[in-house]
Amino acid sequence: MVTVPPSSSHLYLTTSTITCVSASLSVLSGLAILWSYRQFPQLQNYTRQLLVCLTVADIFTAYGNFISSLRWFNNGNAAIINDDFCVAQSFITTTSTLSSFFWTTTIAIYLFCAVVLHVNIAEIYGVKVIIMATPVIVPVTVTSVALGYGVLGEDNYSGSGPWCWINSKAENMLMWKLVTGKGWEILTYITTLVIYVLLKFFKWRENRHIFEQVRWSDKDPSLRDADEIFEISWLFLLVARIWGTLRFFLATFEVCVSDQVNIALLCMQCVGDSSQALWNFFFFFTLDQELRGQICHRNVRSSTNRASSSEFIGALESYP
């Protein structure tokens, strides 16, 4: 794992710039998803509501990484010193990252129940309360315990980029990294992958029996056919965050690799850990045909209204 020496100002600058750009794009992309949910109520369903919750968590993560990058630009090499700002940022991003893992798993469980078990768990009040509360209560509790033990803070790039996570001077650092992030992240990879493999298998078996493609809206009226893209959400979560996970394993098992590889992984982590809302935008905004159609329809209608208004004003002005 890269442990950046105090003299590596150029690497600090590079990673902070990368994080700043990635996080900015992610925040803007996340806001676009929230805008689309608000503007097109006809496309709202429970899956999209869960996506909004996931996006809010990813926005907080990106924002925390962004302000931490600005902290380096403001303080220079002094930014590697632990302070209250660093602890606060660590609390925000650790909580939001854990929440993001829980929302991702929740979406997978919800879709599996709806498509395979034919049970809409969102219609069961007690289950729905648990679904909505767990991704908030558990992350806040875990991070609050870490805060109480004083382990949040500047980690000197030991597991993160130019943002703060677990204090590099904390005891049982490996345990705290697993409890406050990596353990839940790996569990999310495994859980969502297994669920989506099972989902694919049951869909393949049903398609084979009826000799036609099963539409998700036929399986559950509350689902949209466009929700099928959620089947690969585990994949772009993995692509976005695998770089930091690789750095974690390299450090844990003391695997020696070249400095070039370490730095490349660090830079990729700076891109990936701040870009989840951006990935959500690509897959759940730009690839959603219904949503694109609604936006195009609104733009055409708006252009037509403006043209009609201009013609009307022109006619009034020409009237003698």
Side-chain angles (χ1 to χ4, degrees):
M1 182 181 296
V2 177
T3 301
V4 183
S7 60
S8 299
S9 297
H10 178 70
L11 186 56
Y12 280 133
L13 177 61
T14 301
T15 54
S16 296
T17 302
I18 292 172
T19 302
C20 199
V21 172
S22 178
S24 299
L25 293 174
S26 196
V27 169
L28 293 175
S29 299
L31 293 176
I33 293 174
L34 301 185
W35 170 84
S36 69
Y37 183 81
R38 180 70 177 83
Q39 291 296 313
F40 303 102
Q42 64 271 30
L43 301 182
Q44 294 177 5
N45 61 0
Y46 194 64
T47 311
R48 202 130 191 112
Q49 183 180 341
L50 292 176
L51 174 62
V52 166
C53 296
L54 171 63
T55 301
V56 170
D58 291 338
I59 287 175
F60 272 101
T61 300
Y63 177 73
N65 292 350
F66 176 78
I67 61 175
S68 185
S69 299
L70 294 183
R71 171 174 172 258
W72 186 89
F73 288 118
N74 184 59
N75 298 339
N77 288 346
I80 65 173
I81 299 174
N82 201 50
D83 55 21
D84 291 339
F85 180 95
C86 180
V87 173
Q89 175 265 296
S90 177
F91 184 89
I92 292 172
T93 53
T94 301
T95 301
S96 60
T97 300
L98 288 175
S99 184
S100 178
F101 297 150
F102 276 90
W103 286 120
T104 301
T105 305
T106 298
I107 292 172
I109 293 173
Y110 169 72
L111 292 177
F112 181 81
C113 291
V115 175
V116 177
L117 303 181
H118 307 291
V119 176
N120 190 336
I121 57 178
E123 295 178 352
I124 306 173
Y125 180 76
V127 177
K128 185 175 181 180
V129 170
I130 294 174
I131 286 175
M132 301 303 291
T134 301
V136 176
I137 293 176
V138 174
V140 170
T141 301
V142 170
T143 313
S144 296
V145 171
L147 179 65
Y149 276 91
V151 299
L152 300 181
E154 175 60 57
D155 68 350
N156 297 326
Y157 283 67
S158 177
S160 72
W163 56 89
C164 302
W165 183 25
I166 300 299
N167 194 327
S168 58
K169 298 180 181 179
E171 296 182 1
N172 299 318
M173 194 175 180
L174 175 59
M175 181 201 73
W176 284 111
K177 285 184 176 181
L178 288 171
V179 171
T180 61
K182 289 303 172 186
W184 296 103
E185 180 178 341
I186 294 168
L187 182 61
T188 299
Y189 294 152
I190 296 172
T191 303
T192 54
L193 175 58
V194 169
I195 288 176
Y196 288 124
V197 167
L198 290 174
L199 191 60
K200 278 290 189 183
F201 169 75
F202 282 106
K203 284 180 57 185
W204 170 81
R205 190 177 66 175
E206 188 163 353
N207 292 338
R208 184 184 174 191
H209 287 164
I210 64 176
F211 302 105
E212 63 178 273
Q213 186 69 28
V214 176
R215 297 174 59 187
W216 279 38
S217 56
D218 295 332
K219 303 292 292 183
D220 190 316
S222 65
L223 293 176
R224 299 165 53 236
D225 293 333
D227 291 338
E228 192 168 0
I229 191 67
F230 282 93
E231 285 185 333
I232 59 171
S233 60
W234 64 272
L235 179 60
F236 52 83
L237 172 67
L238 179 66
V239 170
R241 298 194 59 92
I242 190 62
W243 318 106
T245 304
L246 287 175
R247 293 183 66 222
F248 171 77
F249 281 123
L250 289 175
T252 301
F253 296 105
E254 299 181 351
V255 178
C256 294
V257 295
S258 66
D259 289 342
Q260 290 81 0
V261 172
N262 276 326
I263 292 174
L265 289 175
L266 173 59
C267 291
M268 292 302 296
Q269 183 182 2
C270 290
V271 174
D273 282 14
S274 304
S275 66
Q276 285 175 260
L278 180 60
W279 282 89
N280 290 344
F281 175 81
F282 284 146
F283 283 91
F284 303 122
F285 189 102
T286 61
L287 296 183
D288 190 320
Q289 293 183 356
E290 270 191 274
L291 177 58
R292 293 202 314 270
Q294 290 291 335
I295 293 175
C296 291
H297 176 71
R298 170 172 290 192
N299 289 338
V300 170
R301 187 174 60 183
S302 177
S303 300
T304 302
N305 291 338
R306 285 197 300 269
S308 298
S309 298
S310 299
E311 291 175 1
F312 179 72
I313 292 173
L316 289 178
E317 291 176 347
S318 63
Y319 188 78

